[in-house]
Amino acid sequence: MIYYRLKSLVYLCSGGDLQEVIEGHKMSLKRRCEHVTEGTNEAGSGTLLNKIYTELYITEGQSEEVDTQHEVRQLEITSKKNIQDTPIKCQDIFKVLSEQQRHIRVVLTNGVAGVGKTFSVQKFSLDWAEGLENQDISLVLPLSWRELNLIRDEQHSLLSLLHVFHPTLQKIRAEDLTVWKLLFIFDGLDESRFSLGFNKHQVISDVTQVSSVDVLLVNLIQGNLLPSALIWITSRPAAAYQIPASCVDRITEVRGFSDSQKEEYFRRRFSDEDLSKGIISHIKASRSLHIMCLIPVFCWITAIVLEDMMTTDQRGELPKTLTDLYSHFLMVQIKRKKQKYGGKQRPGKLTEADKELLLKLGRLAFEHLEKGNIMFYSEDLEQCGLDVSEVSVYSGVCTEIFKRESVIFQKSVYCFVHLSIQEFLAAVYMFNRYTIKNKGITESFLKYSKQHPFSGFAGLFNNDPVTSLDDFLMREIMKSLESENGHLDLFVRFLHGLSLESNQRILGGLLDQTDSHPETIQKVLNNLKEVNSDEISPDRSINIFHCLMEMKDQSVHQEIQEFLKSERKSERRLSKIHCSALAYLLQMSEEVLDELNLQQYNTSDEGRRRLIPAVRNCRKAELSGSFLSKSHWEVVASAMTSNPSHLRELILIKNQSLTDADVKLLSSAMMHPNCRLETLRLRYCSLSEISCDSLASALRSNPSHLRVLELVETELKDPAVKLLCGVLQDPLCKLETLRSVRDGPVLSQV
């Protein structure tokens, strides 16, 4: 093992020698960080970081719902926040910014894939190495999770771990680590294949004590090991839960480019001013492309495609949907590969070798998308029939993480340039499997369906072969709707986009022709508009609307735009898909809705359920009826805790299905620091003593905002009344009005 190879290295250093070691480490770190690659890791393709770096939005705090929605949905929410928050520079994330803050030791930085977390880490490290920032820190020590994965089965001490990852520090002694100010940077927690056991583990406080790597990391983060050391962890949102809140002193969120920064990126990339203006203009015209350009890597993908299309004779129609864009991107990568490595290719047509290799990449993408993996090792590629040398020529699609000149690490790690490319290739693979297997569903999908039965659609998840395109896509949309975190949302949007003959044509024969006749496509569209989502979170249902948009069906969007302009809204009947579209548009509107009253919309109960997400962008919400379930109250709670939260008044009428758990959820939301709810009116609801206890806790813990609690025709037993009356005596309670009315006032103005 590496540890035993290094164990015999014993050094005694003077103060001058140590300073020389530090300077050597700075030079090494500078070489590692001063050049970056956009999208690829091709040798010699690096660009000076300081030349292209645009300050990203890093804000303190984060949304409470970041791990429950697909990252594209998180981007949509983020797109509304940039104008409201003041960014923190990455160099300042350990600095105390207010008198209320204490010493900051551990910082957790969240951000969706490709948004710029690693660039921020590199910028921080480069500025330190060049002597520009944070010179009070003795050593900056990057240890990425993707690298740590390679030694996860080995035993190390913290000292030997540093020697392995930073050979320039082999003269550092144990006593140096205990007196210096150190910063450990653990980049990419979402790429970790460790099981971090924070609740039960061996306690280690000696930097020379040998243990498993995961135990070392946990002790370092908890402060048992080197308690004065600073820790910076970056992660995609869905993986951040692995670090307990009790271990974190500051949570920050990287939000990518603002609108002005997007434009700056394209202007700096292209010297041709007309080209940059044309690209910027096209992106602004497409909401989906404009939102995705919050991500620097997506800007790179967009720039590659639009530059190629705008500077060639066969320009064609510029892409407006994500499926359009990624189909063109794949073909541009093929063209670049041919230019670099040679080979014949008919314009717009793939060779059989390219087709075979891309479908193998698609299989890798699909199988690991289901597992939640974004990092792959050589054995993963081999299981899909891929040769690592073949993969290397598709550097714009699948990139090698570690350079082969590494002496210590003989193992290469691969990933797709961005998660969305993995999702797109997974969709290409899945669609291809449908077309070549007698239009039958894949074994993987059938296996998944058996393991994850969805009671609301049990009839769809059987062994009957899929007989048509619309049947195939219906099964896939149901599978994605079942997901709690929406990890298949973009995948299924790509699937629907690939059903169009126009996108199949762009891909140059990669997909066999399907039954994409107009009548079949119309049947797919009709199916989407009629999907029954009674047992599905309303956030999941919105993706049905996005699938329509990927199929370039603008009818629902146009009808909702007309509805919003109409002065006689109550006379217009809204279908379920109309309500999903309306919920999305109301959420994304720059104007905050004054009032959302579900009963004012002429629709079914399911339609009203689909409207619930709009509560996130309104000041007053009135929710009537007993048709709301736990998933709907979770959306309401998220509206109360979002940043910013607009909701000031919440009225619940005849919610007889409101359970103790639902009331507890809403009460906990009222206790959240982001909550600005001032008035809560419960009318004709049944509250138990347990529910009243939850409300009482909220009243004690939320002294600055809730002013009015109204209970009208709400059955309250004496113990519950006493609970609410008792809270009024609490000095923390700032409630101004508590009114309970049933055949006359029981409690009145306070």
Side-chain angles (χ1 to χ4, degrees), residues 204-260:
I204 295 176
S205 58
D206 186 342
V207 296
T208 63
Q209 185 174 347
V210 177
S211 180
S212 61
V213 178
D214 60 319
V215 170
L216 285 179
L217 300 178
V218 167
N219 277 278
L220 187 60
I221 294 169
Q222 284 186 327
N224 301 322
L225 194 57
L226 296 181
S228 62
L230 304 177
I231 310 293
W232 186 8
I233 303 167
T234 72
S235 176
R236 284 171 55 206
Y241 73 92
Q242 297 178 65
I243 308 299
S246 59
C247 295
V248 180
D249 300 304
R250 171 177 283 166
I251 296 178
T252 61
E253 184 179 5
V254 181
R255 294 184 176 169
F257 287 155
S258 66
D259 288 351
S260 60

Side-chain angles (χ1 to χ4, degrees), residues 3-280:
Y3 168 69
Y4 293 111
R5 187 170 70 247
L6 295 172
K7 190 175 181 181
S8 61
L9 298 176
V10 179
Y11 298 91
L12 296 175
C13 300
S14 65
D17 291 334
L18 287 174
Q19 189 58 41
E20 184 178 331
V21 168
I22 293 175
E23 292 304 317
H25 177 68
K26 284 190 172 183
M27 291 179 62
S28 174
L29 198 57
K30 179 182 176 182
R31 285 194 297 270
R32 287 175 56 180
C33 297
E34 66 182 347
H35 285 90
V36 295
T37 52
E38 288 186 288
T40 69
N41 245 2
E42 294 177 272
S45 65
T47 305
L48 285 173
L49 174 61
N50 285 330
K51 181 180 179 181
I52 66 167
Y53 185 78
T54 300
E55 191 71 53
L56 297 161
Y57 271 84
I58 305 178
T59 61
E60 191 162 10
Q62 67 176 40
S63 168
E64 292 300 301
E65 55 190 308
V66 290
D67 63 341
T68 64
Q69 300 193 65
H70 190 280
E71 292 188 347
V72 172
R73 176 68 189 121
Q74 295 170 39
L75 285 176
E76 293 169 344
I77 296 172
T78 296
S79 68
K80 297 179 58 182
K81 293 182 179 179
N82 284 344
I83 59 172
Q84 300 168 1
D85 294 309
T86 302
I88 302 172
K89 291 187 176 181
C90 68
Q91 295 89 347
D92 296 336
I93 62 168
F94 284 97
K95 295 180 180 177
V96 176
L97 301 179
S98 68
E99 295 180 359
Q100 288 76 31
Q101 291 176 333
R102 55 188 175 86
H103 171 68
I104 296 171
R105 191 183 77 86
V106 178
V107 174
L108 175 61
T109 296
N110 288 323
V112 301
V115 79
K117 301 183 294 296
T118 297
F119 266 30
S120 296
V121 164
Q122 287 186 252
K123 179 61 174 172
F124 185 104
S125 301
L126 180 61
D127 285 351
W128 175 81
E130 292 183 335
L132 302 177
E133 299 282 351
N134 293 289
Q135 295 305 290
D136 58 315
I137 297 176
S138 306
L139 286 175
V140 172
L141 304 164
L143 296 168
S144 74
W145 293 97
R146 59 174 63 150
E147 293 175 304
L148 290 165
N149 287 338
L150 299 177
I151 58 168
R152 64 185 181 277
D153 297 325
E154 298 183 9
Q155 298 279 309
H156 281 278
S157 69
L158 183 61
L159 185 61
S160 73
L161 199 67
L162 292 183
H163 290 165
V164 168
F165 285 95
H166 297 284
T168 56
L169 300 179
Q170 288 184 5
K171 291 185 179 181
I172 295 296
R173 303 164 298 181
E175 53 266 37
D176 300 323
L177 297 182
T178 60
V179 297
W180 284 354
K181 184 176 182 179
L182 309 176
L183 167 59
F184 292 86
I185 303 178
F186 298 105
D187 187 31
L189 176 63
D190 48 283
E191 298 167 355
S192 166
R193 294 197 176 183
F194 288 91
S195 296
L196 300 177
F198 281 88
N199 295 326
K200 188 177 181 181
H201 60 81
Q202 177 188 8
V203 176
I204 295 176
S205 58
D206 186 342
V207 296
T208 63
Q209 185 174 347
V210 177
S211 180
S212 61
V213 178
D214 60 319
V215 170
L216 285 179
L217 300 178
V218 167
N219 277 278
L220 187 60
I221 294 169
Q222 284 186 327
N224 301 322
L225 194 57
L226 296 181
S228 62
L230 304 177
I231 310 293
W232 186 8
I233 303 167
T234 72
S235 176
R236 284 171 55 206
Y241 73 92
Q242 297 178 65
I243 308 299
S246 59
C247 295
V248 180
D249 300 304
R250 171 177 283 166
I251 296 178
T252 61
E253 184 179 5
V254 181
R255 294 184 176 169
F257 287 155
S258 66
D259 288 351
S260 60
Q261 289 168 331
K262 295 173 194 174
E263 296 183 20
E264 180 185 352
Y265 172 89
F266 291 109
R267 283 196 298 267
R268 294 173 72 172
R269 182 179 176 87
F270 300 112
S271 57
D272 186 331
E273 186 176 346
D274 290 337
L275 178 60
S276 63
K277 284 183 177 179
I279 290 175
I280 292 168

